[in-house]
Amino acid sequence: MRTINRQVFENALKSMEVYGLDGMKSPRILSKRNIIRESLIKYYESTEEFEKCKFIVGFFQDLEKEIKKSKTPKNNKNKSSDETPDE
């Protein structure tokens, strides 16, 4: 089994912190998000760095929310906020 240098994981985590969700939205990276998430969590659980695990889990939960939000059609785009329903 090939071991990966710790610096690879640290670089990935730093990129997540610096670039945020937008950094993960490129099609190439987005398609591999599950593998990236699982690898990062597995590594940081093995090193018992649970604060980093919590950050990773929260980051990917937010990413999934963004993906769902971007796929949801905006039905109320032309509706005025001050309209009241007919009584």
Side-chain angles (χ1 to χ4, degrees):
M1 182 174 178
R2 194 175 108 201
T3 59
I4 299 176
N5 186 327
R6 177 181 174 84
Q7 195 60 44
V8 172
F9 294 101
E10 291 296 321
N11 289 345
L13 197 62
K14 183 73 173 170
S15 293
M16 291 165 58
E17 292 170 345
V18 171
Y19 299 110
L21 298 177
D22 290 335
M24 292 292 288
K25 290 184 180 177
S26 78
R28 185 175 65 91
I29 295 174
L30 197 58
S31 67
K32 297 178 182 181
R33 69 185 179 275
N34 292 328
I35 294 168
I36 295 168
R37 178 184 61 229
E38 290 170 12
S39 296
L40 287 168
I41 290 174
K42 184 177 179 180
Y43 175 77
Y44 284 113
E45 282 179 344
S46 74
T47 62
E48 297 184 0
E49 296 178 70
F50 299 114
E51 287 301 314
K52 290 181 180 179
C53 291
K54 287 171 51 177
F55 171 78
I56 294 164
V57 168
F59 180 90
F60 281 96
Q61 286 175 343
D62 292 346
L63 180 62
E64 293 301 323
K65 288 176 189 174
E66 281 290 317
I67 293 168
K68 286 178 184 174
K69 187 167 58 170
S70 68
K71 289 181 180 180
T72 304
K74 301 197 176 12
N75 293 333
N76 298 329
K77 191 174 185 178
N78 295 329
K79 236 182 192 182
S80 172
S81 61
D82 60 352
E83 287 182 313
T84 56
D86 294 330
E87 294 179 15

